[in-house]
Amino acid sequence: MSVLSVRQVRFRYLTLYGLRWLPTGLLTPVMVLLMQERGLSLSQIGLVATAQGLVVLALELPTGGLADALGRKPVLVVAWVVCLVSLVLFVVADSFWMFFLVWALQGIYRALDSGPLESWYVDATLAADPEAEYERGLGWAGTVIGVAIGAGALLGGGLVALGPVGPVSALALPVVVAVALQVAALVALTVLLVEHRPARGAAAVRASVAEAPRMVGQAVGLLRRNRVLLALVAVELFWGFGMVTFESLLPVRLAEVVGGADRAAALLGPASSAAWLANAAGAALTPLLLRRLGAAPAAALMRVLQGVTVVGMGLLAGPVGVLIAYLACYTVHGASNPLHMGLLHRQVDGPYRTSVLSLNSMMAQPAGALGAVVLTALADATSITVAMLVGAVVLAVAAPLYLPAWRAGRRTAAEPDPGQHRPGESAAGPGHPGPALDPAGPVDPVTVAVSAPARSD
């Protein structure tokens, strides 16, 4: 696939990953405030934001199949161009329907962007060295995203503090800078991402569009036949439900302990930046967790610990205790995501990789919506603390779903001759189940991920 070395692939992946998330960090402090400045009410802002979720839900699987069939680079280029268009519109939008279009375009962008870059990294790494430890790069990616979003949020706040520049208002200034950064990211993508594609041109595009549904079908079929993969994807249902506690209920809980929404908002600004840096620190711990515990046990432990941190947010008195639990929650999240994604990658052959990632990602969407409805209603009927405790339990009970991956790893480790492992199993150590068989035939040895414990989105 590539003449790049493992180190070169990892460097390019992490560079592109950081450039992809830096504009997001810039927009975080100003998105809602800018729409309010342009005349939208909070209820209208909520409505325009639903455009993104609906589009992502509709396109997540088809775009994953398209990336597997057509190639990761062309899909990413289109995705980042769509993002650029949405950001330019964001600068000038001044009505409900223009902002609705901005968010719909962001939904298209996120659906197209979900999975191809990570899939390219894993496949390119295995092409350079079939026994490479790609989990290390996935773990560093978690650090990169935390630093990029945290730094972007701080930069965005600083740009707002500078005030208006000519006709550009203070709140619009970070969006203008995000446009410039998105252009730089798009140029970097075209230069750094090297991908071999057997066919190009209009005929290849038509054939790939026709092939995409088959790719999705093969991925779904793989999910039905592979118990390990099914259990891993099911984890997202619990996580999507439980994440409402630290994304939506935490601000209300903080306002409760500090005695007002304004004081809570003032604390949440710097706390959010600190949380993403904590996320980065957690991701940096991934290699240590893999070395000491193995992937599946460490991933299960992180789910339990995340539940414990949410219990802390719900029960601890005073803002200091709540914010410490909040930062701990993001630290655990930073460590758990690379572990989960590494296990997921080991269950799928390259041609269907992005489709399976899209399936995994899509599971969190309906679960998050259900969690928002159930937990907020429970909070109204009882208290924020009770709702957070229920969410904490849901997060923690996902831990046993890592048992199939752990058992598969133990079976592999028990093989008398690691060089003669059974089909569908890897020669890796404990916690590393082997990739599932390609539903269309035997696995190509070049795409088989085999690594020792070391080592993520």
Side-chain angles (χ1 to χ4, degrees):
M1 173 184 295
S2 169
V3 296
L4 301 175
S5 68
V6 170
R7 187 183 297 271
Q8 288 173 319
V9 170
R10 184 167 60 230
F11 172 78
R12 295 186 181 207
Y13 167 62
L14 295 176
T15 300
L16 292 172
Y17 205 68
L19 291 172
R20 180 256 181 268
W21 285 104
L22 188 57
T24 301
L26 270 167
L27 297 177
T28 300
V30 301
M31 227 180 314
V32 173
L33 296 175
L34 180 58
M35 287 188 283
Q36 283 185 306
E37 183 182 71
R38 301 279 174 84
L40 268 64
S41 66
L42 284 175
S43 60
Q44 287 178 314
I45 292 172
L47 285 174
V48 299
T50 61
Q52 175 179 292
L54 292 174
V55 172
V56 170
L57 189 60
L59 297 182
E60 182 77 62
L61 274 180
T63 53
L66 182 63
D68 284 334
L70 179 61
R72 283 67 188 261
K73 184 171 183 176
V75 171
L76 279 173
V77 169
V78 172
W80 290 18
V81 168
V82 171
C83 180
L84 178 60
V85 172
S86 74
L87 292 178
V88 171
L89 284 177
F90 202 3
V91 173
V92 300
D94 60 359
S95 69
F96 174 87
W97 289 110
M98 285 191 71
F99 280 115
F100 189 90
L101 178 59
V102 168
W103 283 91
L105 288 172
Q106 279 287 308
I108 296 172
Y109 157 60
R110 291 182 182 277
L112 288 166
D113 181 74
S114 176
L117 182 57
E118 186 174 309
S119 295
W120 170 82
Y121 163 68
V122 173
D123 287 340
T125 298
L126 294 177
D129 179 3
E131 297 189 3
E133 297 176 348
Y134 57 73
E135 291 92 344
R136 189 179 300 274
L138 294 175
W140 287 347
T143 302
V144 166
I145 187 176
V147 172
I149 293 180
L154 291 176
L155 176 59
L159 290 170
V160 172
L162 286 177
V165 176
V168 181
S169 73
L171 291 176
L173 188 57
V175 186
V176 174
V177 175
V179 169
L181 288 174
Q182 186 64 29
V183 171
L186 187 57
V187 172
L189 176 66
T190 60
V191 173
L192 295 180
L193 199 153
V194 178
E195 181 183 40
H196 171 69
R197 286 183 288 130
R200 299 170 185 266
V205 173
R206 288 194 298 270
S208 298
V209 170
E211 179 75 358
R214 190 181 75 85
M215 289 290 188
V216 173
Q218 296 283 17
V220 173
L222 184 61
L223 191 68
R224 289 200 307 264
R225 291 189 294 272
N226 187 326
R227 289 181 57 201
V228 175
L229 183 60
L230 181 62
L232 291 173
V233 170
V235 170
E236 290 297 297
L237 293 171
F238 293 87
W239 180 83
F241 186 98
M243 74 175 180
V244 175
T245 55
F246 54 88
E247 288 197 345
S248 300
L249 298 183
L250 183 275
V252 184
R253 169 63 178 157
L254 188 59
E256 189 176 76
V257 298
V258 300
D262 291 343
R263 293 179 64 189
L267 287 172
L268 274 174
S272 296
S273 294
W276 280 107
L277 295 177
N279 184 89
L285 295 174
T286 307
L288 176 64
L289 292 171
L290 279 164
R291 190 164 54 249
R292 294 292 179 87
L293 301 175
L301 177 62
M302 291 304 103
R303 296 299 172 185
V304 174
L305 288 180
Q306 192 165 42
V308 171
T309 64
V310 172
V311 169
M313 282 187 270
L315 293 181
L316 291 176
V320 174
V322 172
L323 288 176
I324 288 176
Y326 174 62
L327 295 179
C329 180
Y330 269 82
T331 303
V332 172
H333 181 65
S336 65
N337 187 57
L339 293 166
H340 178 82
M341 297 308 295
L343 288 166
L344 193 72
H345 278 294
R346 294 188 180 282
Q347 294 302 313
V348 60
D349 192 15
Y352 313 102
R353 195 178 302 282
T354 311
S355 298
V356 171
L357 292 184
S358 293
L359 274 170
N360 180 76
S361 175
M362 197 177 74
M363 289 295 180
Q365 299 283 341
L370 179 63
V373 172
V374 172
L375 293 180
T376 53
L378 183 61
D380 282 338
T382 56
S383 68
I384 291 292
T385 295
V386 170
M388 296 189 86
L389 293 177
V390 171
V393 171
V394 173
L395 286 168
V397 297
L401 290 171
Y402 289 105
L403 279 174
W406 176 69
R407 288 168 180 159
R410 285 178 63 86
R411 285 197 303 269
T412 300
E415 287 290 323
D417 181 2
Q420 298 295 324
H421 51 279
R422 295 189 297 269
E425 295 184 347
S426 160
H432 293 286
L437 288 179
D438 180 338
V443 177
D444 185 331
V446 174
T447 66
V448 176
V450 181
S451 80
R455 190 159 62 161
S456 201
D457 4 132

